[in-house]
Amino acid sequence: MIGMFDSGVGGLSVLGELRRLHPRLDVLYLADSAHAPYGQCSLTEVAELSHRNVGWLLAQGADVIAIACNTASAAALNDLRRVHPGVSFVGMEPAVKPARAYTRSGVIGVLATDATFQGELFASVVGRFADGVEIVARSCPGWADLVEAGKVAGPEVEAAIAMHLDPVLEAGADTLVLGCTHYPFLLPVLHHLAGAQVVIVDPAPAVARQIGRLATGRGSGRIRIRTTGDAVQVQTTMRRLTGWDEQVSAIT
Ligand code: DGL
């Protein structure tokens, strides 16, 4: 069984791809909504929360852990692998590598949380894949909160997106990397504001393929969604974002 977590509903963008590509996999998804957003926390705090989430998922029987959160991956992926050597982990990292193949201007905008940019993982991605291109790293406080509130369209959303997107476009970026799993839910607004000539890279399909490669057994397509926060609120937002009607339950 796949255990997956995020600070909230953002990781459902990854789960959506996983369901599309591997509809028979069993997945237990934990939305740590009581502690969202992670992006404004320190890396130490996010690492502690990540260890707790993984401990819970393993106790429920997960044998593959998908960290459907860039911030948690930045804060804890290496340490989680060290602490649980027998467990397969899949994490998120900003997709600078594929973005390099798309850019013509040589300027790539990376949109993520503050905490993600502070982690060693981002520095290592830039070191490995950004040779010969300019990276414009922009943290986008407020975007994940909009998605958590189920707000992904309308004037308020467009204004909040433009505030962080415009400076990146003005810096010459013609390719944008979504470095936070909440942001794919903002894709229609991002495409609308950025224009058709800008390529937007969402790493979710590649991550879902990797999870599929590591999955053991065939499963029966059972999807369970749990939250540390308010189950009714998570369920309402999930329905609005994805149209899914799975029951969401709270854990203590
Ligand atoms: N979805 C998360 C990420 O990929 C975190 C957003 C947040 O909680 O700030 O970084």
Side-chain angles (χ1 to χ4, degrees):
M1 187 243 299
I2 313 291
M4 187 181 274
F5 78 91
D6 176 47
S7 62
V9 294
L12 297 177
S13 62
V14 180
L15 180 53
E17 283 302 319
L18 188 63
R19 293 180 82 166
R20 197 173 62 78
L21 293 171
H22 299 284
R24 290 193 62 81
L25 286 180
D26 296 333
V27 183
L28 174 60
Y29 180 97
L30 177 62
D32 190 13
S33 321
H35 305 105
Y38 280 2
Q40 308 301 307
C41 300
S42 71
L43 286 173
T44 311
E45 285 167 325
V46 178
E48 277 168 21
L49 293 166
S50 302
H51 277 278
R52 198 192 300 176
N53 296 339
V54 168
W56 185 81
L57 289 166
L58 293 175
Q60 309 307 307
D63 55 1
V64 174
I65 299 288
I67 307 180
C69 175
N70 290 74
T71 310
S73 301
L77 181 57
N78 284 343
D79 200 47
L80 283 163
R81 285 192 165 127
R82 186 184 60 76
V83 172
H84 304 283
V87 176
S88 300
F89 285 93
V90 181
M92 310 288 306
E93 67 176 29
V96 171
K97 187 181 179 191
R100 242 189 102 171
Y102 294 118
T103 184
R104 292 165 311 282
S105 68
V107 183
I108 297 171
V110 180
L111 309 169
T113 68
D114 244 344
T116 294
F117 290 129
Q118 285 160 26
E120 281 168 22
L121 188 59
F122 181 65
S124 117
V125 164
V126 171
R128 278 178 290 150
F129 305 122
D131 203 24
V133 293
E134 184 189 339
I135 300 293
V136 178
R138 178 83 190 190
S139 63
C140 307
W143 289 15
D145 305 81
L146 286 170
V147 175
E148 284 298 315
K151 293 182 188 169
V152 292
E156 181 200 350
V157 175
E158 290 191 10
I161 301 291
M163 185 164 55
H164 299 300
L165 180 62
D166 288 353
V168 176
L169 298 176
E170 279 156 21
D174 67 349
T175 306
L176 302 173
V177 171
L178 302 186
C180 169
T181 53
H182 281 73
Y183 301 170
F185 291 113
L186 299 167
L187 267 170
V189 179
L190 284 163
H191 277 301
H192 170 67
L193 294 178
Q197 70 289 355
V198 172
V199 175
I200 304 180
V201 184
D202 171 11
V207 172
R209 278 194 295 276
Q210 175 63 4
I211 298 168
R213 278 191 283 269
L214 293 175
T216 54
R218 213 164 128 66
S220 57
R222 185 174 183 219
I223 305 290
R224 287 175 296 156
I225 316 278
R226 301 288 180 266
T227 179
T228 56
D230 181 334
V232 174
Q233 196 191 322
V234 171
Q235 182 149 356
T236 306
T237 306
M238 179 184 80
R239 280 207 179 126
R240 197 177 296 171
L241 297 175
T242 64
W244 303 344
D245 56 9
E246 270 84 7
Q247 183 76 33
V248 178
S249 321
I251 62 160
T252 45

